[in-house]
Short mmCIF file of all heavy atoms in Angstrom, two decimals:
data_model
loop_
_atom_site.label_atom_id
_atom_site.label_comp_id
_atom_site.label_asym_id
_atom_site.label_seq_id
_atom_site.Cartn_x
_atom_site.Cartn_y
_atom_site.Cartn_z
N THR A 364 107.23 104.09 107.32
CA THR A 364 107.57 102.95 108.19
C THR A 364 108.80 102.22 107.68
O THR A 364 109.71 101.88 108.46
CB THR A 364 106.39 101.98 108.27
OG1 THR A 364 105.27 102.65 108.84
CG2 THR A 364 106.74 100.77 109.13
N LEU A 365 108.86 101.99 106.37
CA LEU A 365 110.02 101.31 105.79
C LEU A 365 111.30 102.10 106.01
O LEU A 365 112.35 101.53 106.35
CB LEU A 365 109.79 101.08 104.29
CG LEU A 365 108.77 100.00 103.91
CD1 LEU A 365 108.50 100.04 102.41
CD2 LEU A 365 109.27 98.62 104.33
N LEU A 366 111.22 103.42 105.84
CA LEU A 366 112.41 104.24 106.03
C LEU A 366 112.86 104.29 107.49
O LEU A 366 114.05 104.23 107.78
CB LEU A 366 112.18 105.66 105.51
CG LEU A 366 112.23 105.84 104.00
CD1 LEU A 366 112.09 107.31 103.65
CD2 LEU A 366 113.53 105.30 103.42
N PHE A 367 111.90 104.40 108.39
CA PHE A 367 112.26 104.37 109.81
C PHE A 367 112.93 103.05 110.17
O PHE A 367 113.90 103.01 110.92
CB PHE A 367 111.02 104.60 110.69
CG PHE A 367 110.82 106.03 111.09
CD1 PHE A 367 109.85 106.81 110.48
CD2 PHE A 367 111.60 106.61 112.08
CE1 PHE A 367 109.66 108.14 110.84
CE2 PHE A 367 111.42 107.94 112.46
CZ PHE A 367 110.45 108.70 111.83
N LEU A 368 112.41 101.96 109.60
CA LEU A 368 112.97 100.65 109.90
C LEU A 368 114.37 100.50 109.30
O LEU A 368 115.31 100.11 110.00
CB LEU A 368 112.03 99.56 109.36
CG LEU A 368 112.46 98.11 109.62
CD1 LEU A 368 112.65 97.87 111.12
CD2 LEU A 368 111.41 97.15 109.06
N ARG A 369 114.52 100.83 108.01
CA ARG A 369 115.83 100.67 107.37
C ARG A 369 116.88 101.57 108.01
O ARG A 369 117.97 101.13 108.38
CB ARG A 369 115.71 100.97 105.88
CG ARG A 369 116.90 100.47 105.02
CD ARG A 369 118.15 101.33 105.09
NE ARG A 369 117.91 102.70 104.65
CZ ARG A 369 117.98 103.10 103.38
NH1 ARG A 369 118.28 102.24 102.44
NH2 ARG A 369 117.75 104.37 103.08
N ASN A 370 116.55 102.85 108.17
CA ASN A 370 117.52 103.77 108.75
C ASN A 370 117.77 103.48 110.22
O ASN A 370 118.88 103.68 110.73
CB ASN A 370 117.07 105.21 108.54
CG ASN A 370 117.12 105.62 107.08
OD1 ASN A 370 117.75 104.96 106.27
ND2 ASN A 370 116.42 106.69 106.73
N GLY A 371 116.74 103.00 110.91
CA GLY A 371 116.94 102.60 112.30
C GLY A 371 117.90 101.43 112.42
O GLY A 371 118.75 101.38 113.33
N LEU A 372 117.80 100.48 111.50
CA LEU A 372 118.73 99.35 111.49
C LEU A 372 120.15 99.81 111.21
O LEU A 372 121.11 99.31 111.81
CB LEU A 372 118.28 98.32 110.44
CG LEU A 372 117.04 97.49 110.80
CD1 LEU A 372 116.52 96.76 109.57
CD2 LEU A 372 117.38 96.48 111.91
N LEU A 373 120.29 100.78 110.31
CA LEU A 373 121.63 101.31 110.02
C LEU A 373 122.22 102.04 111.23
O LEU A 373 123.41 101.89 111.53
CB LEU A 373 121.58 102.26 108.82
CG LEU A 373 121.45 101.60 107.44
CD1 LEU A 373 121.39 102.67 106.36
CD2 LEU A 373 122.59 100.64 107.18
N VAL A 374 121.39 102.82 111.91
CA VAL A 374 121.87 103.51 113.12
C VAL A 374 122.28 102.49 114.17
O VAL A 374 123.35 102.61 114.79
CB VAL A 374 120.79 104.46 113.67
CG1 VAL A 374 121.19 104.99 115.04
CG2 VAL A 374 120.56 105.62 112.71
N ALA A 375 121.45 101.46 114.37
CA ALA A 375 121.76 100.43 115.35
C ALA A 375 123.05 99.69 114.98
O ALA A 375 123.90 99.42 115.84
CB ALA A 375 120.60 99.43 115.46
N ALA A 376 123.22 99.39 113.70
CA ALA A 376 124.44 98.72 113.25
C ALA A 376 125.66 99.60 113.48
O ALA A 376 126.73 99.12 113.90
CB ALA A 376 124.32 98.36 111.77
N THR A 377 125.53 100.90 113.22
CA THR A 377 126.64 101.83 113.40
C THR A 377 127.05 101.91 114.87
O THR A 377 128.24 101.84 115.20
CB THR A 377 126.25 103.23 112.89
OG1 THR A 377 125.87 103.14 111.51
CG2 THR A 377 127.41 104.20 113.03
N VAL A 378 126.07 102.05 115.74
CA VAL A 378 126.36 102.14 117.18
C VAL A 378 126.98 100.84 117.68
O VAL A 378 128.00 100.85 118.40
CB VAL A 378 125.08 102.48 117.96
CG1 VAL A 378 125.33 102.39 119.47
CG2 VAL A 378 124.58 103.87 117.59
N ALA A 379 126.39 99.71 117.31
CA ALA A 379 126.89 98.42 117.77
C ALA A 379 128.30 98.15 117.26
O ALA A 379 129.18 97.70 118.01
CB ALA A 379 125.94 97.30 117.33
N ALA A 380 128.54 98.42 115.98
CA ALA A 380 129.86 98.16 115.40
C ALA A 380 130.92 99.08 116.01
O ALA A 380 132.04 98.64 116.29
CB ALA A 380 129.80 98.35 113.89
N SER A 381 130.56 100.34 116.24
CA SER A 381 131.50 101.28 116.84
C SER A 381 131.89 100.84 118.25
O SER A 381 133.06 100.90 118.64
CB SER A 381 130.89 102.68 116.89
OG SER A 381 130.56 103.13 115.60
N ARG A 382 130.90 100.36 118.98
CA ARG A 382 131.15 99.90 120.35
C ARG A 382 132.06 98.68 120.35
O ARG A 382 133.00 98.58 121.16
CB ARG A 382 129.81 99.57 121.01
CG ARG A 382 129.90 99.22 122.48
CD ARG A 382 128.53 98.99 123.06
NE ARG A 382 128.58 98.70 124.49
CZ ARG A 382 127.52 98.37 125.22
NH1 ARG A 382 126.32 98.31 124.64
NH2 ARG A 382 127.65 98.13 126.51
N VAL A 383 131.81 97.75 119.43
CA VAL A 383 132.65 96.55 119.33
C VAL A 383 134.08 96.93 119.01
O VAL A 383 135.04 96.42 119.62
CB VAL A 383 132.08 95.59 118.27
CG1 VAL A 383 133.09 94.50 117.93
CG2 VAL A 383 130.78 94.95 118.75
N LEU A 384 134.25 97.81 118.02
CA LEU A 384 135.60 98.20 117.61
C LEU A 384 136.35 98.89 118.75
O LEU A 384 137.52 98.60 119.00
CB LEU A 384 135.52 99.13 116.40
CG LEU A 384 136.85 99.63 115.85
CD1 LEU A 384 137.67 98.49 115.28
CD2 LEU A 384 136.64 100.72 114.80
N TRP A 385 135.68 99.79 119.44
CA TRP A 385 136.32 100.52 120.54
C TRP A 385 136.75 99.56 121.65
O TRP A 385 137.89 99.60 122.12
CB TRP A 385 135.37 101.58 121.08
CG TRP A 385 136.00 102.46 122.14
CD1 TRP A 385 136.09 102.21 123.47
CD2 TRP A 385 136.66 103.70 121.92
NE1 TRP A 385 136.75 103.23 124.11
CE2 TRP A 385 137.12 104.16 123.18
CE3 TRP A 385 136.91 104.48 120.79
CZ2 TRP A 385 137.80 105.37 123.33
CZ3 TRP A 385 137.60 105.68 120.93
CH2 TRP A 385 138.04 106.10 122.20
N ARG A 386 135.84 98.67 122.06
CA ARG A 386 136.16 97.76 123.15
C ARG A 386 137.28 96.78 122.78
O ARG A 386 138.05 96.36 123.65
CB ARG A 386 134.91 96.98 123.56
CG ARG A 386 133.88 97.82 124.30
CD ARG A 386 132.75 96.97 124.81
NE ARG A 386 131.90 97.70 125.74
CZ ARG A 386 130.90 97.15 126.41
NH1 ARG A 386 130.60 95.87 126.24
NH2 ARG A 386 130.17 97.88 127.24
N ALA A 387 137.35 96.43 121.50
CA ALA A 387 138.34 95.44 121.09
C ALA A 387 139.73 96.03 120.92
O ALA A 387 140.74 95.31 121.00
CB ALA A 387 137.91 94.79 119.77
#
Side-chain angles (χ1 to χ4, degrees):
T364 299
L365 287 171
L366 283 184
F367 266 104
L368 181 57
R369 196 282 300 274
N370 292 344
L372 287 166
L373 284 179
V374 170
T377 303
V378 173
S381 301
R382 186 177 182 185
V383 167
L384 180 66
W385 185 274
R386 288 187 169 185

